[in-house]
Amino acid sequence: MIDYKEKIASKISSIANLDTGTIKQYIEVPPNPDMGDYTFPCFKLAKELRKSPQAIAEDIKAKLTSEDYVDDLIDKIEVAGGYLNFFIKKEVYISDVMNEALSQGENYGKTSGNVDKTIVIDYSAPNVAKPFHIGHLRSTVIGNALYKIYKFLGYNVVGVNHLGDWGMGICRTIAGYNMWKDEYDFSNNPINAILQIYVRYNNIEKEDPDFKIHATEVLKKLEAKDEETVKTWKWIIEISLQNYQKVYNLMNCQFDSYNGEAFYIDKTDRVIKELKDKNLLVESEGAQVVMMDEDIPPCMIITAQGTTIYATRDLAALLYRIDTYHFDKCLYVVASEQSLHFKQIFETLAKMGYEEYAKRCEHIPFGLVLDEEGHKMGSRKGNATTLEEIFDESISKSLKIIEEKNPELEDKEDVAKKVGVGAVIFNDLANSRIKDEIFDWNQILSFNGETGPYLQYTYVRTRSILRKAGQIPTASNFDLLNDAESYEVVRLIGTFKETVEVSAQKNEPSIISRYLLDLAKAFSRFYNEHQVITEDKAVQDARILLTKVTGDVIKKGLALLGIQCPEKM
Ligand code: ARG
C-alpha cells in the first residue's frame, strides 16, 4: 500500500525545515472523514518557526497548492485551526486499499520487520490450589490479546504464566490436606475439594492465629525438599493446571513458559548476593529491605522470619528473563492494585545496575470487574466466581438465544461456544483497560449492543451475503465505491494496520475493539443504503469485494483479541 504519511511528510519536509521522519511521526488520522484522511498538527512546528500554528498551516498550504506542487495523490488541503488536513484522491485511495486487502488476504495488516525484538509478556498467573477465579480473568484476556497482537506485528513474543505456586497459601492447603484428606473425595472435582480444605484451614487460623504453625512447618519441609511434601505439592499444582487448561483451551490462550514462583526459589540467592555486593540491603525491623528514591515504601527482600517473598522471586525472575531472553520489553499484565510492587521491583533492578533493562519493564495495569450493581465480582454469594462457571453460563445462555433465533442452525453447540466465550472476552476488552469492567449478562450477550456477538453477527452477515452472491469476483472497478457510505468502510479498512500498531504501542487492545465496532457500524450503514446484489454487474462486483474484505478484517481483528468467529449463527 502507498505510505501516505511518508508521502505527505516528505512534501511538508521540503517546505518546513524538518526531516521527513519527524514529521511523519506527528501526522495523525483524524477522528472523522470531514477532517480529511490525514492531518498534520502545525503546533508541533510553532516553536521552531516562531509562528502561530494557524499561520504555519496557511503557509504550508499555500506552497503545497501552488502550481509546482500539484500532484496525483492529494485531492485538496484544508486548514482547520492549527491543523493541516489532507484529503487523498478517493480513486487512488480506494483502489490502493482494496487491492492491498484482497491480495494480502489473511496477512493484510501484518508486519514482519520486528523478529529481532523480543517481548516477554507476563500474564494470567493464577495462584494454584484454587479454581481459576474471576480475579484472573482480565490479566488472562488482556495478556492473551497483547500476545496475539505483538505476534501479528512480527515480534518474537514469549508468553509467561508466572504461576503463584509457592508460599504460605499453598502450604495452608497442604497442611490441611495432611490433616483431613480422608474426609474428602478427590475423585470427581478435586480442585473443589482442595479449595474446601483451604477455606477450612483459613477459617481455623482466623480464630486461632497459632494454627499458622502447621503451614509454616509445611513451608520448611517444602524448602528442605521433603519427599512426601513435594509429592503433595506437585499433585496440587497438577490438579490446578488441569482446571486452568480447560479455560485456556476455551479462550484459545497459550503460553511459552509456565515458570512460576517456585521455579525461582533456588535463584533468589543470586538476587540477595548482588544486592549485598552493592550495599543495597538495609535492616528494618528485623527484615532486609531496599530503600527507594521516590516517596514510596522500601522494597522488602527478606522477611524477619528469614524467608524470601513475592518481590524477591520477581527479581529473580527478572534476572532469569534478562539472561534467557535479552528482552526488548517485559510487560506485566497485572491488576492496578500491584502498581506499588512493580515500581519497587523495577527501581530495585535499576539500583542493582540493570538500568537499561529496568527501563524496558512496564506494568500494564487494569481496573476491577464489577457486577451490574457495582459490587466487585465474586465478593457476594450467588455470583458465579470461577472462570469455568462463567464460561459455562455464557455458553449455555448463548445456546438458548441461538435456539430461539435460529433453531435450524447446524453445530449449535460449537457456535454457542464461540459466541459465549467471545462475549465474555469482548466485554473485557471493549473499553480502555484501566476502567472498571461491568459484568452484566444482558449487556454482554446482546446482539445489537457494542458486543462480541454483534461483531460476530456482522461477520456472519458478510458471509451470508457472499453465499447469496455465488461467485466471488477476482477484481473490479473500485471507483464505483466512491459514495459516502462505501468510502467510509474503505477508509476504515485502510487504517487497520495503523490501528493494530497503535494498540501495541499503547498496550491497549480496546483500540482494536473500538475500531471493529466502528467498522461494523459503517458496514451496516453501507448495507442499509446500498444493495450488494443489484442490476449493475460492475457495481455488484465492487460491493461484493467490499463485503468480503470487511468480513475478513472483522474476523482477523477479533482473532487478535482472542475471539473466534462462527461462519453461521
Ligand atoms: N500470582 C499473582 C497474583 O495473583 C500475579 C503474578 C503476576 N506476575 C508477576 N510476575 N508478579 O496476584
Side-chain angles (χ1 to χ4, degrees):
M1 213 163 108
I2 299 171
D3 190 343
Y4 297 95
K5 279 191 179 176
E6 174 83 23
K7 297 249 183 206
I8 293 170
S10 91
K11 283 173 205 296
I12 298 175
S13 160
S14 66
I15 298 168
N17 189 15
L18 205 66
D19 66 288
T20 307
T22 311
I23 294 181
K24 192 176 170 187
Q25 281 179 6
Y26 296 150
I27 294 176
E28 296 163 14
V29 174
N32 79 61
D34 304 341
M35 297 153 94
D37 298 297
Y38 293 93
T39 187
F40 178 64
C42 292
F43 56 85
K44 300 278 189 192
L45 300 181
K47 226 176 158 186
E48 172 101 15
L49 300 178
R50 297 177 189 203
K51 275 195 222 163
S52 74
Q54 172 92 21
I56 297 171
E58 294 289 356
D59 258 18
I60 301 179
K61 180 186 166 182
K63 288 187 184 136
L64 284 183
T65 45
S66 76
E67 270 171 29
D68 331 344
Y69 271 94
V70 177
D71 72 7
D72 47 12
L73 193 64
I74 288 164
D75 186 34
K76 65 177 175 180
I77 301 176
E78 276 177 5
V79 174
Y83 286 86
L84 197 55
N85 296 336
F86 292 84
F87 294 77
I88 307 289
K89 287 211 163 102
K90 272 189 183 173
E91 327 75 88
V92 176
Y93 186 75
I94 296 172
S95 71
D96 184 31
V97 169
M98 291 298 293
N99 285 320
E100 174 83 8
L102 287 167
S103 67
Q104 296 291 309
E106 277 272 288
N107 293 328
Y108 176 62
K110 210 171 172 147
T111 317
S112 52
N114 295 312
V115 269
D116 54 333
K117 298 207 189 77
T118 298
I119 308 226
V120 175
I121 310 184
D122 180 320
Y123 63 108
S124 195
N127 300 321
V128 298
K130 291 175 200 156
F132 212 155
H133 184 259
I134 176 100
H136 286 88
L137 173 70
R138 301 210 68 188
S139 172
T140 311
V141 169
I142 297 167
N144 188 35
L146 291 176
Y147 184 85
K148 293 183 160 60
I149 291 167
Y150 277 106
K151 276 241 151 136
F152 188 64
L153 294 176
Y155 288 86
N156 176 32
V157 194
V158 186
V160 183
N161 197 342
H162 187 85
L163 292 171
D165 52 5
W166 193 264
M168 285 300 279
I170 188 165
C171 288
R172 289 188 173 92
T173 310
I174 298 174
Y177 175 83
N178 289 341
M179 287 183 263
W180 311 309
K181 58 174 171 284
D182 297 340
E183 299 171 37
Y184 293 84
D185 173 11
F186 300 95
S187 58
N188 213 330
N189 197 347
I191 190 78
N192 249 337
I194 286 172
L195 177 68
Q196 280 169 29
I197 290 178
Y198 174 79
V199 171
R200 178 169 166 190
Y201 184 99
N202 243 357
N203 285 341
I204 302 179
E205 195 185 299
K206 260 186 224 149
E207 298 294 316
D208 171 16
D210 288 345
F211 201 67
K212 193 173 171 190
I213 184 82
H214 298 286
T216 316
E217 255 152 35
V218 169
L219 185 58
K220 279 190 196 144
K221 280 189 179 169
L222 205 51
E223 279 170 346
K225 301 206 166 72
D226 170 70
E227 207 178 308
E228 200 51 40
T229 312
V230 169
K231 208 174 124 197
T232 311
W233 172 72
K234 281 196 175 148
W235 173 74
I236 292 177
I237 294 176
E238 199 183 293
I239 303 271
S240 310
L241 284 175
Q242 280 167 9
N243 175 263
Y244 307 159
Q245 204 53 55
K246 269 194 248 166
V247 175
Y248 291 142
N249 288 345
L250 275 177
M251 295 174 76
N252 188 17
C253 178
Q254 296 102 4
F255 299 92
D256 303 292
S257 160
Y258 277 85
N259 288 342
E261 292 189 48
F263 180 77
Y264 299 103
I265 291 305
D266 63 0
K267 300 177 179 60
T268 52
D269 286 350
R270 176 178 163 200
V271 175
I272 295 163
K273 181 173 184 307
E274 290 192 24
L275 285 169
K276 277 195 182 141
D277 288 349
K278 297 233 157 195
N279 284 325
L280 289 164
L281 280 187
V282 180
E283 207 203 293
S284 165
E285 293 165 36
Q288 298 285 323
V289 305
V290 175
M291 303 307 285
M292 300 284 107
D293 293 339
E294 283 177 64
D295 194 15
I296 55 173
C299 180
M300 196 195 288
I301 302 291
I302 307 175
T303 64
Q305 290 73 42
T307 57
T308 60
I309 58 165
Y310 184 51
T312 331
R313 298 192 274 279
D314 251 332
L315 285 164
L318 263 168
L319 297 185
Y320 176 84
R321 289 172 190 175
I322 292 172
D323 286 351
T324 313
Y325 308 119
H326 315 285
F327 57 78
D328 293 272
K329 259 188 196 179
C330 182
L331 307 178
Y332 292 85
V333 187
V334 185
S336 45
E337 290 155 9
Q338 293 193 27
S339 284
L340 175 62
H341 165 75
F342 287 108
K343 271 194 195 135
Q344 290 171 323
I345 66 162
F346 299 160
E347 193 176 324
T348 304
L349 185 73
K351 286 183 187 297
M352 288 166 80
Y354 303 93
E355 293 89 351
E356 263 321 301
Y357 276 105
K359 279 187 217 146
R360 298 178 187 186
C361 295
E362 199 180 332
H363 175 209
I364 310 298
F366 49 81
L368 303 169
V369 185
L370 304 178
D371 65 18
E372 64 284 5
E373 282 161 35
H375 298 99
K376 190 168 163 180
M377 270 285 262
S379 59
R380 288 187 316 160
K381 282 225 165 89
N383 266 341
T385 53
T386 73
L387 289 190
E388 207 183 341
E389 283 166 353
I390 288 193
F391 283 122
D392 280 351
E393 190 163 345
S394 190
I395 293 168
S396 69
K397 282 187 196 298
S398 302
L399 188 61
K400 233 173 157 180
I401 298 174
I402 292 164
E403 260 156 5
E404 275 162 25
K405 290 197 185 219
N406 191 357
E408 309 288 283
L409 185 71
E410 286 167 29
D411 284 336
K412 271 183 274 208
E413 271 77 26
D414 184 58
V415 176
K417 213 186 221 174
K418 288 176 175 151
V419 172
V421 174
V424 172
I425 295 179
F426 192 83
N427 185 57
D428 196 285
L429 300 175
N431 296 302
S432 70
R433 58 181 153 72
I434 204 67
K435 285 194 187 159
D436 291 341
E437 161 186 348
I438 313 291
F439 203 99
D440 175 352
W441 281 118
N442 295 324
Q443 207 54 47
I444 291 172
L445 288 171
S446 151
F447 277 43
N448 313 311
E450 299 194 325
T451 63
Y454 164 68
L455 290 173
Q456 288 166 322
Y457 186 66
T458 308
Y459 168 76
V460 164
R461 212 157 55 148
T462 65
R463 286 306 183 252
S464 94
I465 296 168
L466 297 185
R467 275 195 300 275
K468 264 185 223 135
Q471 191 78 314
I472 296 177
T474 47
S476 164
N477 173 9
F478 294 122
D479 289 356
L480 298 166
L481 298 174
N482 73 0
D483 62 275
E485 294 79 21
S486 311
Y487 185 65
E488 180 54 9
V489 176
V490 172
R491 202 176 95 101
L492 282 161
I493 289 167
T495 56
F496 178 55
K497 180 178 173 149
E498 156 134 18
T499 304
V500 179
E501 284 168 355
V502 174
S503 91
Q505 267 160 32
K506 302 193 170 165
N507 295 307
E508 187 62 271
S510 68
I511 291 176
I512 297 179
S513 317
R514 303 317 303 177
Y515 164 87
L516 291 174
L517 291 170
D518 287 346
L519 177 59
K521 286 181 206 163
F523 181 77
S524 291
R525 284 191 293 272
F526 155 78
Y527 189 66
N528 288 338
E529 282 303 310
H530 305 280
Q531 281 182 327
V532 175
I533 314 293
T534 173
E535 304 271 278
D536 186 332
K537 183 79 173 62
V539 171
Q540 171 169 318
D541 281 357
R543 290 182 182 160
I544 289 174
L545 290 175
L546 183 63
T547 303
K548 175 178 185 325
V549 168
T550 303
D552 290 348
V553 171
I554 292 179
K555 184 176 181 179
K556 185 88 242 178
L558 285 174
L560 292 179
L561 302 179
I563 300 171
Q564 293 177 295
C565 273
E567 293 300 308
K568 293 181 181 176
M569 68 192 261

